[in-house]
Amino acid sequence: MPSIHQSDVKTNNNMIILSIESSCDDTACAIVCSDGTVLAEQIYSQKEHVQFGGVVPEIAARAHLSHLSDLVKKTLNQANIDWKDINAVAATCGPGLIGGVIVGSSFAKGLALARNLPFIGINHIEAHALTVRIPHISEHQVHFPYLLFLTSGGHCQCIHVKDIGDYHRLGGTIDDAAGEAFDKVAKMLGLSWPGGPALEALAKEGDENTFSLPRPLYGRPGCDFSFSGLKTAVGNLLTEYENIDTLPRKLAANIAASFQKAITSAIINRLENAIKASPNSTLLATAGGVAANQYLRKHIQELANKYNLPFVAPPMKYCTDNAVMIGWAAIEILQQAAKNNKVIDDISMLPRPRWPLSEMSQIFDS
Ligand code: KG4
Ligand code: ZN
């Protein structure tokens, strides 16, 4: 199997990666250069799940299979480059819904084999963690170490990002992810899936001080999160309404606003502990779909200000699942490998539903 030319890796300007993301319900492909230029990006956010009110893993895997070939073709056409200009193929190998990860990574391996290119298997969480380092993505140049708050439908964790391959998970959710809590409460309020954006919109019509809801783990030491008690408390408020259609809109808005206030306050408390636990962090970054929530963002910004930390949130399309972050992570890993005189080709890497970040340094160990 050919390896990427080490001189290309060292110049930091000559690599072009084709990347694929398929770990949940977004089928995505991108072509990314090592200077951070995105030559092409395509994404298909699967509509197949709407009728079920949540992602159905089996349907997601089949949808990736149906859409991936056309999406890759479109990406190559958009970039208007030749295969001979591409240095490697990268794909998410985990963690995630295993069916989708198998589809995306096998497809990428097929491309790599057919084109005689190295294959780079990417950890999805590591890719989220490194997104803020894509040059020009924000007004800050992001240097290690920094603190990342990753908050999506499937993940909710604080990570101290010390270097490529060196991550310390300060804490994570012990039950639901924040996005899951937003989605479940939205469902209780009769809103359509995904519920987060709809709940935020409804909350704008409500009074956030109407109900005092629990803020799980608030004031406790550590950086873990818990949201299921809050979700249950909202459910209890709604028990007198047998049918969601009889719920007055004003009441629904007040519940939405009170829920948003409670979850934000719980998150900020845990994040404050994470900042204290990583005092050398140069900035606070965020990623994941829930980071789209303006109310939450405003409070994270205020927290960052309190600790004199710059707050970096990539543009929304790079906060949510995308293939650009997969390509960028491959570039960072290849450059790090070159520094360690290592050549990476993960063609025999197996897709993993779980893949702890603590294992990432192994690729640089001899
Ligand atoms: O990162 P993402 O697109 O996909 C994964 O879960 O991997 O995140 C989707 C999650 C959903 O739970 C969605 O409801 C939530 O992010 N979300 C929001 C908002 N926009 C998306 N939650 C709260 N407020 C929002 N504005
Ligand atoms: Zn994700």
PDB file of all heavy atoms in Angstrom, residues 73-99:
ATOM      1  N   LYS A  73     -19.722  11.249  -5.944  1.00  0.00           N
ATOM      2  CA  LYS A  73     -19.575  11.731  -7.331  1.00  0.00           C
ATOM      3  C   LYS A  73     -19.765  13.239  -7.395  1.00  0.00           C
ATOM      4  O   LYS A  73     -18.994  13.962  -8.013  1.00  0.00           O
ATOM      5  CB  LYS A  73     -20.658  11.078  -8.213  1.00  0.00           C
ATOM      6  CG  LYS A  73     -20.136   9.976  -9.096  1.00  0.00           C
ATOM      7  CD  LYS A  73     -21.194   9.631 -10.129  1.00  0.00           C
ATOM      8  CE  LYS A  73     -21.169   8.153 -10.399  1.00  0.00           C
ATOM      9  NZ  LYS A  73     -22.391   7.657 -11.005  1.00  0.00           N
ATOM     10  N   LYS A  74     -20.835  13.712  -6.728  1.00  0.00           N
ATOM     11  CA  LYS A  74     -21.132  15.156  -6.717  1.00  0.00           C
ATOM     12  C   LYS A  74     -19.967  15.931  -6.120  1.00  0.00           C
ATOM     13  O   LYS A  74     -19.603  17.007  -6.582  1.00  0.00           O
ATOM     14  CB  LYS A  74     -22.364  15.427  -5.838  1.00  0.00           C
ATOM     15  CG  LYS A  74     -23.655  15.559  -6.587  1.00  0.00           C
ATOM     16  CD  LYS A  74     -24.654  16.208  -5.627  1.00  0.00           C
ATOM     17  CE  LYS A  74     -26.070  15.868  -5.991  1.00  0.00           C
ATOM     18  NZ  LYS A  74     -27.012  16.172  -4.936  1.00  0.00           N
ATOM     19  N   THR A  75     -19.389  15.388  -5.036  1.00  0.00           N
ATOM     20  CA  THR A  75     -18.282  16.076  -4.352  1.00  0.00           C
ATOM     21  C   THR A  75     -17.080  16.187  -5.290  1.00  0.00           C
ATOM     22  O   THR A  75     -16.456  17.243  -5.399  1.00  0.00           O
ATOM     23  CB  THR A  75     -17.888  15.320  -3.064  1.00  0.00           C
ATOM     24  OG1 THR A  75     -19.070  14.996  -2.352  1.00  0.00           O
ATOM     25  CG2 THR A  75     -16.989  16.151  -2.180  1.00  0.00           C
ATOM     26  N   LEU A  76     -16.783  15.084  -5.987  1.00  0.00           N
ATOM     27  CA  LEU A  76     -15.639  15.103  -6.913  1.00  0.00           C
ATOM     28  C   LEU A  76     -15.888  16.104  -8.038  1.00  0.00           C
ATOM     29  O   LEU A  76     -14.988  16.860  -8.424  1.00  0.00           O
ATOM     30  CB  LEU A  76     -15.403  13.696  -7.479  1.00  0.00           C
ATOM     31  CG  LEU A  76     -14.704  12.736  -6.518  1.00  0.00           C
ATOM     32  CD1 LEU A  76     -14.901  11.290  -6.954  1.00  0.00           C
ATOM     33  CD2 LEU A  76     -13.212  13.057  -6.420  1.00  0.00           C
ATOM     34  N   ASN A  77     -17.119  16.138  -8.560  1.00  0.00           N
ATOM     35  CA  ASN A  77     -17.439  17.096  -9.634  1.00  0.00           C
ATOM     36  C   ASN A  77     -17.305  18.524  -9.133  1.00  0.00           C
ATOM     37  O   ASN A  77     -16.777  19.396  -9.816  1.00  0.00           O
ATOM     38  CB  ASN A  77     -18.864  16.886 -10.162  1.00  0.00           C
ATOM     39  CG  ASN A  77     -18.953  15.604 -10.971  1.00  0.00           C
ATOM     40  OD1 ASN A  77     -17.924  15.093 -11.417  1.00  0.00           O
ATOM     41  ND2 ASN A  77     -20.154  15.073 -11.136  1.00  0.00           N
ATOM     42  N   GLN A  78     -17.812  18.754  -7.908  1.00  0.00           N
ATOM     43  CA  GLN A  78     -17.765  20.113  -7.341  1.00  0.00           C
ATOM     44  C   GLN A  78     -16.313  20.588  -7.177  1.00  0.00           C
ATOM     45  O   GLN A  78     -15.996  21.745  -7.464  1.00  0.00           O
ATOM     46  CB  GLN A  78     -18.468  20.125  -5.973  1.00  0.00           C
ATOM     47  CG  GLN A  78     -18.629  21.505  -5.366  1.00  0.00           C
ATOM     48  CD  GLN A  78     -19.098  21.429  -3.897  1.00  0.00           C
ATOM     49  OE1 GLN A  78     -19.383  20.354  -3.368  1.00  0.00           O
ATOM     50  NE2 GLN A  78     -19.164  22.576  -3.250  1.00  0.00           N
ATOM     51  N   ALA A  79     -15.433  19.672  -6.742  1.00  0.00           N
ATOM     52  CA  ALA A  79     -14.027  20.060  -6.517  1.00  0.00           C
ATOM     53  C   ALA A  79     -13.302  20.251  -7.838  1.00  0.00           C
ATOM     54  O   ALA A  79     -12.314  20.981  -7.910  1.00  0.00           O
ATOM     55  CB  ALA A  79     -13.329  19.000  -5.686  1.00  0.00           C
ATOM     56  N   ASN A  80     -13.826  19.555  -8.863  1.00  0.00           N
ATOM     57  CA  ASN A  80     -13.238  19.660 -10.192  1.00  0.00           C
ATOM     58  C   ASN A  80     -11.744  19.324 -10.162  1.00  0.00           C
ATOM     59  O   ASN A  80     -10.927  20.066 -10.703  1.00  0.00           O
ATOM     60  CB  ASN A  80     -13.490  21.087 -10.730  1.00  0.00           C
ATOM     61  CG  ASN A  80     -13.321  21.139 -12.239  1.00  0.00           C
ATOM     62  OD1 ASN A  80     -13.366  20.086 -12.888  1.00  0.00           O
ATOM     63  ND2 ASN A  80     -13.105  22.323 -12.789  1.00  0.00           N
ATOM     64  N   ILE A  81     -11.411  18.238  -9.460  1.00  0.00           N
ATOM     65  CA  ILE A  81     -10.015  17.797  -9.466  1.00  0.00           C
ATOM     66  C   ILE A  81      -9.956  16.337  -9.915  1.00  0.00           C
ATOM     67  O   ILE A  81     -10.979  15.649  -9.932  1.00  0.00           O
ATOM     68  CB  ILE A  81      -9.324  17.919  -8.088  1.00  0.00           C
ATOM     69  CG1 ILE A  81     -10.116  17.168  -7.011  1.00  0.00           C
ATOM     70  CG2 ILE A  81      -9.084  19.351  -7.699  1.00  0.00           C
ATOM     71  CD1 ILE A  81      -9.319  16.984  -5.739  1.00  0.00           C
ATOM     72  N   ASP A  82      -8.756  15.916 -10.196  1.00  0.00           N
ATOM     73  CA  ASP A  82      -8.545  14.568 -10.661  1.00  0.00           C
ATOM     74  C   ASP A  82      -8.170  13.673  -9.476  1.00  0.00           C
ATOM     75  O   ASP A  82      -7.595  14.167  -8.494  1.00  0.00           O
ATOM     76  CB  ASP A  82      -7.384  14.607 -11.658  1.00  0.00           C
ATOM     77  CG  ASP A  82      -7.421  13.414 -12.567  1.00  0.00           C
ATOM     78  OD1 ASP A  82      -8.144  13.479 -13.570  1.00  0.00           O
ATOM     79  OD2 ASP A  82      -6.745  12.411 -12.215  1.00  0.00           O
ATOM     80  N   TRP A  83      -8.468  12.401  -9.570  1.00  0.00           N
ATOM     81  CA  TRP A  83      -8.080  11.480  -8.501  1.00  0.00           C
ATOM     82  C   TRP A  83      -6.578  11.536  -8.214  1.00  0.00           C
ATOM     83  O   TRP A  83      -6.140  11.334  -7.095  1.00  0.00           O
ATOM     84  CB  TRP A  83      -8.474  10.041  -8.867  1.00  0.00           C
ATOM     85  CG  TRP A  83      -9.826   9.675  -8.354  1.00  0.00           C
ATOM     86  CD1 TRP A  83     -10.971   9.554  -9.072  1.00  0.00           C
ATOM     87  CD2 TRP A  83     -10.185   9.394  -7.000  1.00  0.00           C
ATOM     88  NE1 TRP A  83     -12.025   9.222  -8.265  1.00  0.00           N
ATOM     89  CE2 TRP A  83     -11.562   9.106  -6.985  1.00  0.00           C
ATOM     90  CE3 TRP A  83      -9.482   9.363  -5.788  1.00  0.00           C
ATOM     91  CZ2 TRP A  83     -12.251   8.794  -5.816  1.00  0.00           C
ATOM     92  CZ3 TRP A  83     -10.170   9.037  -4.632  1.00  0.00           C
ATOM     93  CH2 TRP A  83     -11.541   8.763  -4.652  1.00  0.00           C
ATOM     94  N   LYS A  84      -5.795  11.818  -9.249  1.00  0.00           N
ATOM     95  CA  LYS A  84      -4.335  11.825  -9.022  1.00  0.00           C
ATOM     96  C   LYS A  84      -3.907  12.949  -8.066  1.00  0.00           C
ATOM     97  O   LYS A  84      -2.820  12.920  -7.505  1.00  0.00           O
ATOM     98  CB  LYS A  84      -3.560  11.884 -10.332  1.00  0.00           C
ATOM     99  CG  LYS A  84      -3.591  13.200 -11.060  1.00  0.00           C
ATOM    100  CD  LYS A  84      -2.647  13.146 -12.256  1.00  0.00           C
ATOM    101  CE  LYS A  84      -2.813  14.318 -13.210  1.00  0.00           C
ATOM    102  NZ  LYS A  84      -3.299  15.585 -12.685  1.00  0.00           N
ATOM    103  N   ASP A  85      -4.789  13.937  -7.856  1.00  0.00           N
ATOM    104  CA  ASP A  85      -4.458  15.023  -6.923  1.00  0.00           C
ATOM    105  C   ASP A  85      -4.811  14.679  -5.476  1.00  0.00           C
ATOM    106  O   ASP A  85      -4.483  15.430  -4.551  1.00  0.00           O
ATOM    107  CB  ASP A  85      -5.204  16.310  -7.313  1.00  0.00           C
ATOM    108  CG  ASP A  85      -4.802  16.770  -8.704  1.00  0.00           C
ATOM    109  OD1 ASP A  85      -3.600  16.676  -9.012  1.00  0.00           O
ATOM    110  OD2 ASP A  85      -5.690  17.172  -9.480  1.00  0.00           O
ATOM    111  N   ILE A  86      -5.537  13.599  -5.283  1.00  0.00           N
ATOM    112  CA  ILE A  86      -5.969  13.237  -3.917  1.00  0.00           C
ATOM    113  C   ILE A  86      -4.916  12.330  -3.273  1.00  0.00           C
ATOM    114  O   ILE A  86      -4.461  11.367  -3.886  1.00  0.00           O
ATOM    115  CB  ILE A  86      -7.367  12.566  -3.967  1.00  0.00           C
ATOM    116  CG1 ILE A  86      -8.380  13.623  -4.443  1.00  0.00           C
ATOM    117  CG2 ILE A  86      -7.755  11.997  -2.606  1.00  0.00           C
ATOM    118  CD1 ILE A  86      -9.778  13.121  -4.619  1.00  0.00           C
ATOM    119  N   ASN A  87      -4.520  12.675  -2.037  1.00  0.00           N
ATOM    120  CA  ASN A  87      -3.439  11.948  -1.366  1.00  0.00           C
ATOM    121  C   ASN A  87      -3.913  10.818  -0.467  1.00  0.00           C
ATOM    122  O   ASN A  87      -3.130   9.920  -0.146  1.00  0.00           O
ATOM    123  CB  ASN A  87      -2.611  12.900  -0.494  1.00  0.00           C
ATOM    124  CG  ASN A  87      -2.002  14.004  -1.302  1.00  0.00           C
ATOM    125  OD1 ASN A  87      -2.569  15.084  -1.403  1.00  0.00           O
ATOM    126  ND2 ASN A  87      -0.873  13.740  -1.911  1.00  0.00           N
ATOM    127  N   ALA A  88      -5.144  10.896   0.029  1.00  0.00           N
ATOM    128  CA  ALA A  88      -5.624   9.844   0.932  1.00  0.00           C
ATOM    129  C   ALA A  88      -7.146   9.906   1.021  1.00  0.00           C
ATOM    130  O   ALA A  88      -7.757  10.927   0.687  1.00  0.00           O
ATOM    131  CB  ALA A  88      -5.027  10.027   2.324  1.00  0.00           C
ATOM    132  N   VAL A  89      -7.730   8.801   1.453  1.00  0.00           N
ATOM    133  CA  VAL A  89      -9.181   8.755   1.681  1.00  0.00           C
ATOM    134  C   VAL A  89      -9.384   8.513   3.177  1.00  0.00           C
ATOM    135  O   VAL A  89      -8.736   7.634   3.759  1.00  0.00           O
ATOM    136  CB  VAL A  89      -9.841   7.618   0.871  1.00  0.00           C
ATOM    137  CG1 VAL A  89     -11.344   7.592   1.123  1.00  0.00           C
ATOM    138  CG2 VAL A  89      -9.562   7.786  -0.623  1.00  0.00           C
ATOM    139  N   ALA A  90     -10.264   9.330   3.794  1.00  0.00           N
ATOM    140  CA  ALA A  90     -10.525   9.189   5.235  1.00  0.00           C
ATOM    141  C   ALA A  90     -12.011   8.942   5.457  1.00  0.00           C
ATOM    142  O   ALA A  90     -12.842   9.389   4.667  1.00  0.00           O
ATOM    143  CB  ALA A  90     -10.105  10.465   5.963  1.00  0.00           C
ATOM    144  N   ALA A  91     -12.321   8.226   6.525  1.00  0.00           N
ATOM    145  CA  ALA A  91     -13.739   8.025   6.875  1.00  0.00           C
ATOM    146  C   ALA A  91     -13.867   7.799   8.363  1.00  0.00           C
ATOM    147  O   ALA A  91     -12.933   7.305   9.020  1.00  0.00           O
ATOM    148  CB  ALA A  91     -14.316   6.823   6.130  1.00  0.00           C
ATOM    149  N   THR A  92     -15.043   8.151   8.890  1.00  0.00           N
ATOM    150  CA  THR A  92     -15.343   7.868  10.292  1.00  0.00           C
ATOM    151  C   THR A  92     -15.353   6.354  10.497  1.00  0.00           C
ATOM    152  O   THR A  92     -16.051   5.632   9.792  1.00  0.00           O
ATOM    153  CB  THR A  92     -16.732   8.427  10.655  1.00  0.00           C
ATOM    154  OG1 THR A  92     -16.752   9.801  10.317  1.00  0.00           O
ATOM    155  CG2 THR A  92     -17.045   8.231  12.116  1.00  0.00           C
ATOM    156  N   CYS A  93     -14.581   5.887  11.480  1.00  0.00           N
ATOM    157  CA  CYS A  93     -14.590   4.445  11.820  1.00  0.00           C
ATOM    158  C   CYS A  93     -15.265   4.206  13.171  1.00  0.00           C
ATOM    159  O   CYS A  93     -15.298   3.099  13.675  1.00  0.00           O
ATOM    160  CB  CYS A  93     -13.167   3.906  11.822  1.00  0.00           C
ATOM    161  SG  CYS A  93     -12.674   3.342  10.182  1.00  0.00           S
ATOM    162  N   GLY A  94     -15.780   5.253  13.801  1.00  0.00           N
ATOM    163  CA  GLY A  94     -16.480   5.139  15.074  1.00  0.00           C
ATOM    164  C   GLY A  94     -16.232   6.379  15.897  1.00  0.00           C
ATOM    165  O   GLY A  94     -15.446   7.222  15.455  1.00  0.00           O
ATOM    166  N   PRO A  95     -16.813   6.579  17.055  1.00  0.00           N
ATOM    167  CA  PRO A  95     -17.977   5.823  17.525  1.00  0.00           C
ATOM    168  C   PRO A  95     -19.219   6.297  16.784  1.00  0.00           C
ATOM    169  O   PRO A  95     -19.220   7.369  16.209  1.00  0.00           O
ATOM    170  CB  PRO A  95     -18.046   6.192  19.012  1.00  0.00           C
ATOM    171  CG  PRO A  95     -17.409   7.537  19.111  1.00  0.00           C
ATOM    172  CD  PRO A  95     -16.394   7.625  18.004  1.00  0.00           C
ATOM    173  N   GLY A  96     -20.249   5.456  16.811  1.00  0.00           N
ATOM    174  CA  GLY A  96     -21.479   5.842  16.126  1.00  0.00           C
ATOM    175  C   GLY A  96     -22.362   4.631  15.893  1.00  0.00           C
ATOM    176  O   GLY A  96     -22.076   3.533  16.406  1.00  0.00           O
ATOM    177  N   LEU A  97     -23.418   4.829  15.116  1.00  0.00           N
ATOM    178  CA  LEU A  97     -24.327   3.731  14.797  1.00  0.00           C
ATOM    179  C   LEU A  97     -23.585   2.787  13.847  1.00  0.00           C
ATOM    180  O   LEU A  97     -23.162   3.206  12.761  1.00  0.00           O
ATOM    181  CB  LEU A  97     -25.605   4.266  14.153  1.00  0.00           C
ATOM    182  CG  LEU A  97     -26.386   5.273  15.008  1.00  0.00           C
ATOM    183  CD1 LEU A  97     -27.582   5.823  14.254  1.00  0.00           C
ATOM    184  CD2 LEU A  97     -26.827   4.612  16.316  1.00  0.00           C
ATOM    185  N   ILE A  98     -23.427   1.546  14.272  1.00  0.00           N
ATOM    186  CA  ILE A  98     -22.449   0.681  13.602  1.00  0.00           C
ATOM    187  C   ILE A  98     -22.789   0.428  12.121  1.00  0.00           C
ATOM    188  O   ILE A  98     -21.889   0.348  11.275  1.00  0.00           O
ATOM    189  CB  ILE A  98     -22.221  -0.634  14.399  1.00  0.00           C
ATOM    190  CG1 ILE A  98     -20.989  -1.375  13.885  1.00  0.00           C
ATOM    191  CG2 ILE A  98     -23.450  -1.522  14.380  1.00  0.00           C
ATOM    192  CD1 ILE A  98     -19.698  -0.612  14.046  1.00  0.00           C
ATOM    193  N   GLY A  99     -24.072   0.329  11.797  1.00  0.00           N
ATOM    194  CA  GLY A  99     -24.449   0.072  10.399  1.00  0.00           C
ATOM    195  C   GLY A  99     -23.934   1.176   9.482  1.00  0.00           C
ATOM    196  O   GLY A  99     -23.303   0.901   8.445  1.00  0.00           O
TER     197      GLY A  99
END
